Amino acid sequence: MEDRETEVIVVAPVAEPRPVHDELCLVILAGPSRGKVLPLDRGSLTLGRSSEASVVLDGRGLSRVHARLTLCPDGVEVQDLDSTNGLFVNGQRRTQAVLRPGDQLALGPEVSLQLQRTDPSLRQLLEELYSGSTRDSLTGLANRRQAELRLQEEAAMVRRHGLSVCLALLDLDHFKSVNDTYGHAAGDLVLQETADRLQSAIRQEDVLARYGGEEFLLILRHTALSGASLLMERLLRSISERPFELLDGQQLNLSLSAGLALFAQGDELEQVLQRADQALYKAKQSGRNQFCLG
């Protein structure tokens, strides 16, 4: 009888895949940007209210550069960068801590975030839901609802801290004739290009929103009237000095009019917006392609 050897196959246990850092994200639970997703796909980043931070956040009580986040083997290390109102991890004030999925991080009295681990499809869904509720679908700018929330936030900052904020209303001159002559597809292209040009000329911490059909709202944070006036000149030139090219190759020369107003301590938000609107009307009546102060 022939001897047979039995082959023994050893199956090694399958190791649990180690979580990868690019699956980690922070979801804003409270504050003006509630619902926004912040992917943590860099080794280190800073959070704060100014462009000095690598991620600019909105919210009452945030310092210019509030905290630093660093990926580490156990999760995400968070460090307070001498902020005025501190940071809190799961309700406890800390100067330094390691966040793990499910932990909550509060920056000052208003902004609260939670560390989550998501797969790419879920993260994309969260980002799309946030974008759909806060962004104008045509231009990608903040929509009117989001702009109004930001205005309320800036009004609170002005009242509490006396910071300088300037508001501007901007309107494309003779835009109706673009739709009437070239069609709405051409009008949409002009609005998209206008949004891109304006957005590229402002700072990261400023807010540009589509406020109406061809009207835009600009919130200039911590900006004096003199600096805002220089910016307005630059924005007007960004529209008037370069033609808009349509899909059929035709070129349109367009211009922009604007009304600028300073939001100072003691002002009511509605009054400031009204001054900016009246200044915009004055710019239109005075020949367009200019801005006026309100």
Side-chain angles (χ1 to χ4, degrees), residues 53-117:
S54 52
V55 176
V56 178
L57 297 178
D58 307 308
R60 178 168 50 89
L62 284 173
S63 294
R64 296 181 66 83
V65 184
H66 200 108
R68 176 179 289 109
L69 300 176
T70 306
L71 295 172
C72 64
D74 295 328
V76 177
E77 183 180 3
V78 58
Q79 179 183 0
D80 186 4
L81 298 179
D82 297 322
S83 65
T84 302
N85 293 300
L87 61 83
F88 299 79
V89 176
N90 298 327
Q92 301 294 318
R93 183 158 187 165
R94 306 289 294 273
T95 57
Q96 190 170 348
V98 174
L99 301 177
R100 295 173 176 82
D103 286 344
Q104 291 193 19
L105 170 66
L107 305 177
E110 185 176 42
V111 178
S112 177
L113 311 96
Q114 185 177 59
L115 183 66
Q116 295 185 3
R117 188 180 297 285

Side-chain angles (χ1 to χ4, degrees), residues 25-272:
C25 65
L26 283 168
V27 178
I28 300 179
L29 302 180
S33 300
R34 184 167 61 92
K36 186 175 184 178
V37 179
L38 305 177
L40 299 175
D41 48 12
R42 285 179 281 175
S44 179
L45 55 84
T46 53
L47 307 177
R49 62 174 170 81
S50 81
S51 57
E52 298 171 28
S54 52
V55 176
V56 178
L57 297 178
D58 307 308
R60 178 168 50 89
L62 284 173
S63 294
R64 296 181 66 83
V65 184
H66 200 108
R68 176 179 289 109
L69 300 176
T70 306
L71 295 172
C72 64
D74 295 328
V76 177
E77 183 180 3
V78 58
Q79 179 183 0
D80 186 4
L81 298 179
D82 297 322
S83 65
T84 302
N85 293 300
L87 61 83
F88 299 79
V89 176
N90 298 327
Q92 301 294 318
R93 183 158 187 165
R94 306 289 294 273
T95 57
Q96 190 170 348
V98 174
L99 301 177
R100 295 173 176 82
D103 286 344
Q104 291 193 19
L105 170 66
L107 305 177
E110 185 176 42
V111 178
S112 177
L113 311 96
Q114 185 177 59
L115 183 66
Q116 295 185 3
R117 188 180 297 285
T118 62
D119 59 56
S121 60
L122 178 57
R123 192 172 80 183
Q124 181 180 0
L125 175 62
L126 292 172
E127 291 172 346
E128 289 174 353
L129 289 172
Y130 173 76
S131 178
S133 66
T134 61
R135 295 285 160 184
D136 173 61
S137 59
L138 177 65
T139 64
L141 300 178
N143 59 24
R144 186 177 182 119
R145 176 179 175 274
Q146 182 70 3
E148 289 172 347
L149 291 174
R150 293 295 303 273
L151 284 170
Q152 294 296 332
E153 167 69 14
E154 294 304 318
M157 292 291 288
V158 169
R159 284 194 295 268
R160 287 183 175 88
H161 306 293
L163 301 175
S164 295
V165 175
C166 287
L167 304 180
L169 290 173
L170 308 95
D171 192 271
L172 279 168
D173 297 325
H174 302 299
F175 178 74
K176 185 177 182 300
S177 65
V178 176
N179 282 332
D180 292 343
T181 305
Y182 303 98
H184 288 278
D188 288 349
L189 188 148
V190 166
L191 287 172
Q192 290 170 329
E193 177 68 18
T194 298
D196 291 344
R197 293 186 191 186
L198 296 178
Q199 186 70 61
S200 65
I202 64 176
R203 302 169 304 176
Q204 188 179 4
E205 64 261 40
D206 296 328
V207 179
L208 179 65
R210 187 181 180 193
Y211 208 54
E214 68 272 20
E215 188 175 57
F216 301 87
L217 171 73
L218 179 60
I219 304 173
L220 299 171
R221 313 180 76 184
H222 320 299
T223 305
L225 202 55
S226 57
S229 296
L230 292 174
L231 175 62
M232 298 310 297
E233 295 282 3
R234 188 160 71 247
L235 294 178
L236 265 60
R237 290 196 301 270
S238 74
I239 303 301
S240 64
E241 293 184 351
R242 181 154 54 99
F244 289 76
E245 185 169 338
L246 304 184
L247 294 176
D248 60 3
Q250 293 188 76
Q251 292 190 334
L252 296 180
N253 292 304
L254 297 174
S255 62
L256 190 75
S257 297
L260 176 66
L262 176 66
F263 191 176
Q265 202 165 28
D267 288 337
E268 294 295 331
L269 176 58
E270 293 75 13
Q271 295 173 341
V272 180

